[in-house]
Each structure stands twice: as C-alpha cells, then as structure tokens.
Amino acid sequence: MSSARVTRQARLRAAAATAAVCALSAALLAPQASAADAPAYSETYRPQFHFTPEKNWMNDPNGLVYYKGEYHLFYQYNPSGNSWGDMSWGHAVSTDLVHWQELPLALSHDDKEMVFSGSAVVDENNTTGFGTKKNPPMVAIYTSHDKSTGIQSQALAYSNDRGRTWTRYQGNPVIDIGSKDFRDPKIQWYAPTQSWLMSVSLSAEHKVRFYSSKNLKDWTRLSEFGPAGATGGVWECPDLFPLAVDGDKNNIKWVLVVNINPGGIAGGSAAQYFIGDFDGTKFTAEDDGTYTPPAGTVKQDFEDTGFGSWTATGTAFGPGPAAGTLDGQQTVSGFDGKGLANSFHSGDATTGTLTSPSFTVDSPYLNFKIGGGRHPHRPGKVLADFEDGSYGDWTTTGDAFGTAPATGTLPGQQQVAGFQGSGLVNTFLSGDAGTGTLTSPEFTLDKRYVNFLIGGGNHPAGSANPTALELVVDGQVVRTATGRDAEALQAASWDVRDLAGKKARIRVVDDNTGGWGHINVDQITLSDSQAQPGSQETSVNLVVDGQVVRSATGSDSETLDWASFNMRPFLGKKARIQLVDLNTGGWGHILADQFTTADSPALSALQRAGWADYGKDYYAAVSWENSPGSKRYMIGWMSNWDYAGATPTTPWRGAQSIPRQMGLRTVDGRVRLTSEPVTSVKSLRQDDPAAAATTVVTNTSQALIGPAAQGRTLDIEATFSPRDAERFGLKVRTGAAGEETVIGYDTTTQELYVDRTRSGAVDFNGTFPGIQTAPLKAENGKIRLRILVDWSSVEVFGGNGEAVITDQIFPDPASQGVQVFAENGSVRLDKATVWHLDSTHG
C-alpha cells in the first residue's frame, strides 16, 4: 500500500488519540455534502473532469499501464465504505486519460491480506509463462499486507483478458524480507539488460531498493538509494524513469520520484523527486545535499552560558542554552557551535517561552536553525496578548486587575503555566479578594472563531459570583467561558460564524472573593481555525506590533535544519523573536540556533529538494508504462493524509489529479522536472471562450471579464507583465460570504501561491486552511499561468510547468466568480482566456 499504510493500520488499531482515529472523528463532524441523495456524479463537491469512483474511499493510483488502446488506472479502494480500510484495487480505463470508465473491482482483499499499492506491466515476451506470446499477460505486482502479522511482501497477479479478471500467483510472495515497511513496487522493462527492474520503498529507512528479474518471479537485489532530500516522513510509491533534458534525446537523465508522508513542502503528504543517472544497477543523484547558507549578522547563537538579554518564562528552556542532547532525549544534531535553545528540560512535560529584546528590522531576512516538534502556531488576528506592560486601550473597573498585566505567577499563588510570552491577565493580585472587570474596545467579528487561553476559577457567567470571559454583542452576553479551578491556562474557542460582521467587545469578569475567586486569560485572537485543546504550538515566531507575523515549527525531528523569515514588509518596524513551547505531549519541545539577519533567505532541506507539486493535495504520484510515443504521463492522489479522512464528501471520498505530461527543462541553470495537463483536457473546452483585453490593474480586485467567465469547471490561461504590484493574480470561485480561492504571484519573494483560507469549507481540519507557495521567476518579463478549476479543486501550472500547486477546495456551489487583482501597486494583464469545460460524466 502506500501513504503510511502499515503505520496507518497500526494507528487505526491504537488509542483513540491517534491521527487516523482523529481523522475518522473529524469526518463524523465534518459538514457533509447537502446533495447526498442527488444523482451520481452531481453531488455538491463531485469533480466533473477528475476521476472519482462512484462511491467509497479511494487513495493511491496503482498499476498504471497502457495496453491495446486503453490506459489502465487501478487504485487503492475500500469496497466497504468511504473511509480507509479493506484495501483492494479498484479499476478504471480510458482511451484519452480524461474520460474514464469505472470497471468492477480488480484485486480484492481477503481474510489473509490487504492489497496495497503496486504497479502493472504487459509481459510482451511472456517471461512469466502466465500467457502466450500471442496474448501476453498483464501482470500486477503489489504489496501484500499480512493482516495477522503486519508483514509487507511483494506478490503477483495476472490477467489474460485486458485486466478484467485476475488470478493470484500460487508462488506468492515473490519477495519477502520480513519487514513491516517494505512496499509499493514499481516495475518496468529495462532494455539494456533485457530484464525487469523493480523500485520498491524501505519506507521507514527513507530508502528505495532496486531489484532485477528475468521473469518477474525470481528477484536479485541490485542497490539502494537514500536517505536523501526530505526525510521528515515515510518514503512511499517510488517511480524511476528516463527523460530527455530540454527535448535533447542525446541528453537523458533519470528521475526518481519518492513520495513522502508527512514532511512534504506544504505540510503532510507530497511528491518529491531526484534527478541523476542510472547505470542499470545504481541510481546516483546529481545533488549531494551539501549546503552553505547566506552570510549575515548573527543576533543569537546561544554560545554563552546564559540567554543574555533574552527573557525566559516557564521552565522548558532551562537557565541557559543546552550543550546539545538533554537527559532522556534522542540525539540532537545539526546545531552549530556548542550551544542551542532546547526546551526538552525535564522532557516534554514543561512549557515556556524565550523572547528576544525588541529590535528594529533592518535586514530583508532572518535565518535560523530549527528542530523539535511539529506543532505549528495557529494564525489569527490578535485582539490582546498582554505583552506591552499595560492594558492599552482596554478599560478596567475595581481592583482585581491592577494597572498592568501580570508577568506570571503572583505572590501566594500556585504556579501559573500555559500562557504565552511574558504577560497575561491574572486577577490574583490581592489573592482572591479583588474584584472588577476588564473590557476591550469594540471590534468587528470578521473571522469564524474567537480563540483564547483561559485558567483560574470555575465560576461560570450567570452564577452568583462569576470568574468568566464574556463576548458582548449589542449589550448582550452571547458567549462565555470560565476556568477549571486550575492555574494552567487551556486553549478554548467560541464559534462566532452566526455573528459575522457584528461589532463586539470582550469582557473579563472577576466578581468572586472566595476560593478560586480569580481568572487567568491570555492570547485572545480572531481566527478562521478553531483552537485545538491539547495540541498547542512548539514554534519560533516573529512578533511585530503584538502580532505573530511569521512562524515556523519543527518536523518531529531532533535534527535542526535551516528556516527563514521574509522581513521585508516590516523594515523599520520594531520586532521580537519568540520561541514558544506550549506542548506537553509527544514531541512537545522546540530546538533553535543561529539567528542571523541576511540579505537572502537560507533554504531548508525541504526547500532545496525537488517537488513535483508544491500544493497540499498531490501524493502517491506515479507514471504510466508503455504510453504511446514513449511519453511519460503521471497522476497523483488529490488529497493529503493530514485530513484525507475528514474531507466533506459523500458517498465517495478521494479523487485523482488530472494526468500530466512530464518533462525535464533547464530553469535558471538547474534541470527541473516540469508537468503540464495532458492535451486531451482541451477536448473538454466548450466553444466561444471568454477573453479579456489587455488592461492595467491597480490596487483592486475586479471581475476578470464578466458573467461569461464565471463557473465551477474552468480552464484559464493568463499572462501578466509585472510592474510595481507586490502581489497580483486571479481569484476563482468567488462569491458567497466572501469566499475566494486566491491564485497569485508575489514579486517580493518571486513565488507563485494559492491561498485557500477563505475557499469555502475549511474548518474540518486545522491543517487544511493555508497558503501554498512555489518558486517561480518571470520569463522574458512575463508570468504565465494555466489554471484548472473543478467543483472541488484547483490545479495551477506556472511558467512552463516548473511550478505546480494542486489544492482541494470546498466552496459553496454559488461561488462561481473570477476576478483579477493587484495589491500595493499595478500589474498589466496582457491576456486571459477562460474556457468552460464539459463534464466527463454521462
């Protein structure tokens, strides 16, 4: 199988807090498609020109092969429902890679095994003896997952009727090394040695192993590749194939695609690639992985015995820099010199912050090394963080709140924990004797949630003497929260979607002088993501004007890697660097070192790696064998294991990307893997496209053309000439309640991006909303975009296919607008053409 199959099965059988079970729980809570009883293929989010099964769960593409005029698409499929389980091979065929016919189940799970991911070939020479030279067999090689032991081995099945029926080989398995992380074989015919070549993943070791065979039954081990590139998750679904560089058939390079989960460039699942040479035995990548970051001015290298002018709260960071690995910790590596910040003091149980003094931003970038837990900061609009030594424009009554926020635990109080930074509201100023209120200025409820940290006494609003946090709208208390008779602050949230656009105030009330007669409050924010109790951040943040404007987190690794903050928008402003550890669970710590200001960004191993797609939703990417004209077509599962089980679709779950033609092209002196939609997509274009005249757009968003360009299934080609705008591009699926999916270009970072934070249903999983970016430089002064819009996805191809972003979206069906925009300046739209696309269903 793929996608951390074995690890996933273990998680499904483990405690309810595991990721897979959380995903299933989220699925139960997710908004379901309203048209559950609609005719097949017309449900609310049903893709119209991407392959989906009529019903049930689908993930990885498998067995991609062309035979007798048909492209075969097998895929991981659950015949029993629309969540992961009972893995089998579904089957569909196409003559053009766009119109698909779903066929009956090909390879079913049984009492002994699940049928995980693999590949298929046409045995033209009948090397297996499964068919004849006149009627060569189609042979599938798949990973057999033993249900009783969890062992993964490689097995064969064959078909003599163009893949319609299958017979398992009686000699299975053909390779068994006794491993639970040995999967996803990809087979091809290697002509120079007249033998079969297998690429298969040693997933947990971040390796690809190569085998050779004359008959697909008896295999000889050749070599291994890895670890290399991105290694933040298991390696799965490898694929090795040759391509001509810049179309020169005398310059052939080999591409090794290795899918990774988690640890992808956009978080979670992704498809990375390596370019190099294959000599029939061994693959050698051109990039050896060495890296020298840009030079700059070191602001903190943690080489002294103490933190100097940096201030610490809590106990997580200890009295000073760590000298490497702490007691009970796995080996820490990747830091420079002899010291680093390490919040593993007393293990993951402790929390705290480490904050730099305020400094003026005078360099474009802040580069640093980071490691530790993957618990990202959740972005939001900070209403109050109580960090400035005063309550600012908040007003107080009574004596409980004093003249300024507290800086932690007050005299006579049990230890206060769980707050962020150096300040919080704490009404234990005179013990429990004080009372009063603290009220915010008026603000607009323009996001979905009010998130906050709260602790102290359990005296709800409405009781005789409350200690409560209140949301007041039109003079009425509409939401309340209170503590749990504990000094540790916990994350909590109010859903305020029904109050969108209203004016509100926050009021902190302490009207209690008895036991636990006080309240602790911190980090009140507006956000489109709901606070997740028990899953708090381990992060490095850049704070400007009280707002977290940049944030980075670890990758569940004790190896530090480079990261960078773009500080150009904040030049001349005052800022602070803050290391935050608010997590007491697994990987509940953060590592950091070498904070350096510089003129260019340092690149992480993720950024230095090659990525077939920079979006959140392109995984398990593999290519077809035997394609006509030796073209290399690739397809990926259009989802991400971070939230795949929670996407709001029914009665199916899972879609495949549009098939793509792959190539190698020299970009900026470096050979890059490129992709473009298969040409047959154009056959879906309706006549009479809408075309936009050349126009200059300045500091605005406006309809691209008009009603003719609106729709849910679109193919858009656009060319821009950048001027002085910082960001520009197109917005698609705009409409209801401010919904939009932004497809833009950032001239300051030279990056293509997709912002789906307001794309519709985004709150079924905390990792779903966000912005994905891909490096893209203008060519001949132009930025070219090709955008495919379907009912629940966007696929964006930048330049000549060197920057691709694939993202699912779940907008309201009424959101069909298309706009052109420019921010902080002007851009010239040279040309834009919008085609409506026909459905491939019926």
Side-chain angles (χ1 to χ4, degrees):
M1 107 186 150
S2 117
S3 320
R5 255 23 124 239
V6 174
T7 55
R8 190 157 333 287
Q9 188 193 38
R11 281 184 256 178
L12 284 166
R13 292 177 174 175
T18 62
V21 174
C22 287
L24 292 173
S25 299
L28 296 175
L29 298 173
Q32 294 297 301
S34 59
D37 299 324
Y41 302 106
S42 67
E43 301 92 346
T44 301
Y45 300 127
R46 173 74 77 168
Q48 295 300 293
F49 59 93
H50 292 81
F51 177 77
T52 54
E54 181 178 359
K55 63 180 180 179
N56 298 340
W57 169 278
M58 174 182 69
N59 54 284
D60 304 358
N62 297 156
L64 307 182
V65 67
Y66 179 83
Y67 185 46
K68 291 187 176 180
E70 292 180 324
Y71 293 93
H72 291 262
L73 167 63
F74 300 91
Y75 47 88
Q76 290 286 277
Y77 183 67
N78 181 1
S80 308
N82 71 341
S83 59
W84 185 90
D86 289 343
M87 282 294 96
S88 306
W89 275 25
H91 189 195
V93 294
S94 172
T95 59
D96 64 358
L97 291 171
V98 172
H99 296 84
W100 292 96
Q101 176 189 1
E102 185 174 356
L103 297 177
L105 192 68
L107 292 170
S108 177
H109 74 101
D110 58 27
D111 292 340
K112 295 181 179 180
E113 72 171 5
M114 284 196 284
V115 184
F116 284 175
S117 291
S119 55
V121 293
V122 178
D123 186 12
E124 297 282 4
N125 298 319
N126 195 31
T127 63
T128 56
F130 293 153
T132 65
K133 291 273 284 193
K134 186 176 181 179
N135 184 32
M138 185 183 294
V139 182
I141 183 160
Y142 64 91
T143 295
S144 171
H145 174 81
D146 189 303
K147 289 183 175 181
S148 62
T149 66
I151 296 296
Q152 296 179 357
S153 58
Q154 314 318 316
L156 301 180
Y158 60 92
S159 170
N160 290 308
D161 58 1
R162 297 182 301 124
R164 270 55 179 182
T165 60
W166 291 84
T167 302
R168 282 174 165 87
Y169 173 47
Q170 292 300 307
N172 284 336
V174 294
I175 309 179
D176 184 357
I177 62 172
S179 171
K180 297 182 179 181
D181 290 287
F182 178 53
R183 54 183 175 266
D184 312 336
K186 179 65 189 291
I187 307 299
Q188 62 186 287
W189 180 253
Y190 186 68
T193 58
Q194 291 292 291
S195 59
W196 298 102
L197 173 66
M198 178 196 294
S199 308
V200 63
S201 179
L202 298 172
S203 299
E205 299 176 45
H206 308 118
K207 291 180 179 180
V208 175
R209 181 175 287 179
F210 301 103
Y211 289 88
S212 180
S213 174
K214 294 295 185 181
N215 59 9
L216 291 174
K217 302 173 183 176
D218 304 300
W219 293 91
T220 301
R221 175 177 165 179
L222 297 176
S223 64
E224 292 178 354
F225 172 79
T231 57
V234 293
W235 279 16
E236 298 185 319
C237 301
D239 192 4
L240 179 70
F241 52 85
L243 286 174
V245 178
D246 299 321
D248 181 0
K249 294 183 179 180
N250 295 316
N251 184 9
I252 301 294
K253 293 290 183 183
W254 285 77
V255 179
L256 177 62
V257 174
V258 181
N259 293 269
I260 182 173
N261 173 63
I265 184 64
S269 314
Q272 73 169 318
Y273 69 88
F274 302 88
I275 295 174
D277 296 302
F278 181 72
D279 63 4
T281 299
K282 182 180 181 181
F283 175 80
T284 304
E286 292 184 335
D287 185 353
D288 64 3
T290 59
Y291 178 66
T292 302
T297 302
V298 176
K299 298 189 72 68
Q300 174 64 278
D301 58 7
F302 300 109
E303 292 301 291
D304 295 330
T305 55
F307 291 125
S309 56
W310 291 45
T311 57
T313 66
T315 59
F317 291 92
T325 307
L326 295 172
D327 289 344
Q329 189 173 24
Q330 300 175 37
T331 302
V332 174
S333 62
F335 61 99
D336 293 344
K338 63 179 186 296
L340 76 156
N342 184 345
S343 70
F344 195 77
H345 286 83
S346 301
D348 284 327
T350 53
T351 61
T353 64
L354 181 61
T355 307
S356 77
S358 178
F359 63 94
T360 300
V361 177
D362 58 5
S363 294
Y365 293 93
L366 176 69
N367 298 330
F368 54 95
K369 286 192 162 186
I370 188 170
R374 184 191 286 111
H375 306 287
H377 171 78
R378 296 186 179 275
K381 181 190 299 182
V382 178
L383 295 175
D385 61 2
F386 307 107
E387 292 298 292
D388 295 329
S390 73
Y391 290 123
D393 47 6
W394 289 51
T395 57
T396 62
T397 65
D399 58 357
F401 294 88
T403 59
T407 57
T409 307
L410 295 172
Q413 189 176 25
Q414 300 174 39
Q415 183 174 348
V416 176
F419 63 100
Q420 294 188 28
S422 58
L424 77 156
V425 172
N426 182 348
T427 65
F428 197 77
L429 188 65
S430 301
D432 285 326
T435 62
T437 64
L438 174 67
T439 306
S440 78
E442 194 172 61
F443 61 93
T444 301
L445 291 167
D446 57 1
K447 295 194 179 292
R448 298 174 179 225
Y449 300 95
V450 178
N451 297 329
F452 47 90
L453 301 173
I454 189 167
N458 185 355
H459 307 286
S463 63
N465 301 104
T467 54
L469 186 70
E470 300 175 340
L471 180 68
V472 181
V473 175
D474 296 332
Q476 302 295 315
V477 176
V478 296
R479 302 285 190 276
T480 68
T482 189
R484 300 180 181 178
D485 290 349
E487 302 294 13
L489 284 75
Q490 300 292 326
S493 186
W494 292 323
D495 185 334
V496 293
R497 285 175 287 185
D498 61 319
L499 302 170
K502 289 187 174 291
K503 298 291 186 180
R505 297 181 190 272
I506 298 288
R507 185 165 62 205
V508 189
V509 178
D510 178 354
D511 193 33
N512 197 297
T513 59
W516 285 104
H518 64 279
I519 187 169
N520 305 329
V521 176
D522 196 15
Q523 289 295 316
I524 305 172
T525 64
L526 289 171
S527 177
D528 284 325
S529 298
Q530 189 172 14
Q532 301 294 318
S535 180
Q536 296 173 327
E537 68 185 284
T538 52
S539 61
V540 173
N541 298 330
L542 182 70
V543 182
V544 176
D545 295 333
Q547 306 286 331
V548 175
V549 296
R550 298 286 186 267
S551 185
T553 189
S555 59
D556 288 351
S557 171
E558 303 292 17
T559 300
L560 285 79
D561 192 13
W562 283 104
S564 184
F565 290 153
N566 177 9
M567 301 196 298
R568 283 182 290 187
F570 317 110
L571 288 171
K573 292 192 173 186
K574 293 290 188 180
R576 290 179 288 115
I577 302 165
Q578 187 169 74
L579 281 59
V580 179
D581 177 358
L582 296 180
N583 198 294
T584 59
W587 285 104
H589 61 280
I590 189 80
L591 313 173
D593 195 15
Q594 292 296 315
F595 287 91
T596 305
T597 56
D599 291 332
S600 57
L603 301 178
S604 67
L606 258 66
Q607 292 169 310
R608 302 194 302 271
W611 299 98
D613 194 298
Y614 287 80
K616 290 280 282 190
D617 295 309
Y618 189 73
Y619 188 62
V622 286
S623 65
W624 269 272
E625 295 298 324
N626 284 23
S627 294
S630 299
K631 292 183 178 179
R632 184 61 56 171
Y633 298 119
M634 180 169 278
I635 195 170
W637 175 45
M638 202 157 54
S639 196
N640 190 306
W641 280 115
D642 279 355
Y643 46 75
T647 51
T649 64
T650 185
W652 86 101
R653 185 172 278 125
Q656 302 296 342
S657 74
I658 206 71
R660 301 164 185 188
Q661 183 170 343
M662 311 306 292
L664 288 178
R665 193 167 68 87
T666 304
V667 181
D668 244 8
R670 174 187 167 197
V671 178
R672 300 266 297 275
L673 183 67
T674 64
S675 59
E676 59 183 353
V678 290
T679 57
S680 50
V681 173
K682 295 181 179 179
S683 70
L684 304 178
R685 290 175 172 177
Q686 298 177 7
D687 296 334
D688 302 321
T694 301
T695 185
V696 174
V697 183
T698 305
N699 293 328
T700 190
S701 293
Q702 63 191 49
L704 176 62
I705 299 167
Q710 296 181 0
R712 292 195 284 167
T713 52
L714 303 173
D715 188 348
I716 304 172
E717 294 182 0
T719 302
F720 294 87
S721 291
R723 290 189 171 184
D724 61 346
E726 289 186 10
R727 289 170 295 278
F728 61 82
L730 300 174
K731 298 178 180 180
V732 300
R733 300 302 303 271
T734 67
E739 285 186 359
E740 61 183 17
T741 298
V742 184
I743 300 163
Y745 185 76
D746 189 321
T747 60
T748 63
T749 60
Q750 296 185 301
E751 289 177 325
L752 177 69
Y753 67 90
V754 173
D755 181 347
R756 66 177 182 187
T757 55
R758 300 184 64 83
S759 61
V762 299
D763 57 352
F764 52 85
N765 183 276
T767 67
F768 186 85
I771 302 173
Q772 284 66 251
T773 64
L776 178 65
K777 291 189 176 181
E779 186 173 11
N780 299 321
K782 308 288 185 183
I783 293 295
R784 297 179 182 85
L785 301 178
R786 171 91 180 273
I787 303 166
L788 299 180
V789 182
D790 206 343
W791 284 13
S792 56
S793 65
V794 291
E795 292 168 286
V796 183
F797 300 82
N800 290 300
E802 66 267 28
V804 186
I805 298 176
T806 299
D807 276 348
Q808 293 181 91
I809 55 172
F810 300 100
D812 188 298
S815 296
Q816 298 188 30
V818 180
Q819 298 178 352
V820 60
F821 75 93
E823 296 177 4
N824 298 325
S826 300
V827 67
R828 189 178 77 187
L829 174 64
D830 297 319
K831 182 180 180 182
T833 308
V834 181
W835 289 269
H836 290 263
L837 297 182
D838 289 328
S839 173
T840 59
H841 305 306

